[in-house]
Amino acid sequence: MALRLQLCSLHEEGTAADAALTTCLMWVAGVLVEIAGDVADPRAAGALVHRASAALAAVPAPQQNGAPPSPERLTDRELAVLRQLREEVPLRQIADDLYVSYNTVKSHTRAVYRKLGARSRAEALDRARGLGLV
């Protein structure tokens, strides 16, 4: 919130400030998840993933001006998780299949839902089909 206020105080338009803030928070969350993947201590990794989730939760909601927000570009790993979501298998199985932690899959799934503006697996898959992602 402090970063957004500083951006707005620089006479940035609210939507431009939100875009800059979103970019910063997405970068921070991505770095935290990458570090968590390299940490050998599960508790420390879990804490990093928790912080990444908190950073993503702080991303401002898109401004609703009658049109739905255009989806952000999914990363390669998010696309891999999205494709696995089609199989209707539990997230733990997806984690095993992709050789990553369960928390990493949860983080990628949340990012996919957020970027596609979905609230469920079915809604995310429906929107991904409409965009030609799956």
Side-chain angles (χ1 to χ4, degrees):
M1 218 38 210
L3 177 59
R4 184 180 192 286
L5 290 174
Q6 285 185 345
L7 289 169
C8 287
S9 73
L10 295 173
H11 304 291
E12 290 288 331
E13 186 178 317
T15 55
D18 284 345
L21 176 61
T22 298
T23 300
C24 291
L25 290 172
M26 294 291 295
W27 178 80
V28 167
V31 168
L32 289 172
V33 169
E34 283 182 34
I35 293 170
D38 294 336
V39 173
D41 178 17
R43 288 178 53 181
L48 288 167
V49 170
H50 178 71
R51 293 282 185 184
S53 296
L56 291 174
V59 171
Q63 298 295 322
Q64 296 297 332
N65 55 0
S70 60
E72 296 175 47
R73 186 181 180 313
L74 299 177
T75 66
D76 291 340
R77 294 306 275 173
E78 290 165 352
L79 282 170
V81 169
L82 177 62
R83 290 183 183 111
Q84 291 281 330
L85 290 174
R86 287 186 305 189
E87 305 299 321
E88 296 186 24
V89 296
L91 295 183
R92 289 205 185 276
Q93 180 63 44
I94 294 172
D96 291 343
D97 292 347
L98 296 177
Y99 302 103
V100 295
S101 76
Y102 171 70
N103 284 333
T104 298
V105 171
K106 280 181 27 180
S107 293
H108 287 317
T109 302
R110 279 192 297 265
V112 167
Y113 287 7
R114 181 182 43 74
K115 288 179 179 182
L116 294 178
R119 293 190 176 140
S120 68
R121 182 184 285 209
E123 190 176 350
L125 289 170
D126 186 50
R127 292 190 184 182
R129 281 186 200 98
L131 294 168
L133 297 173
V134 292

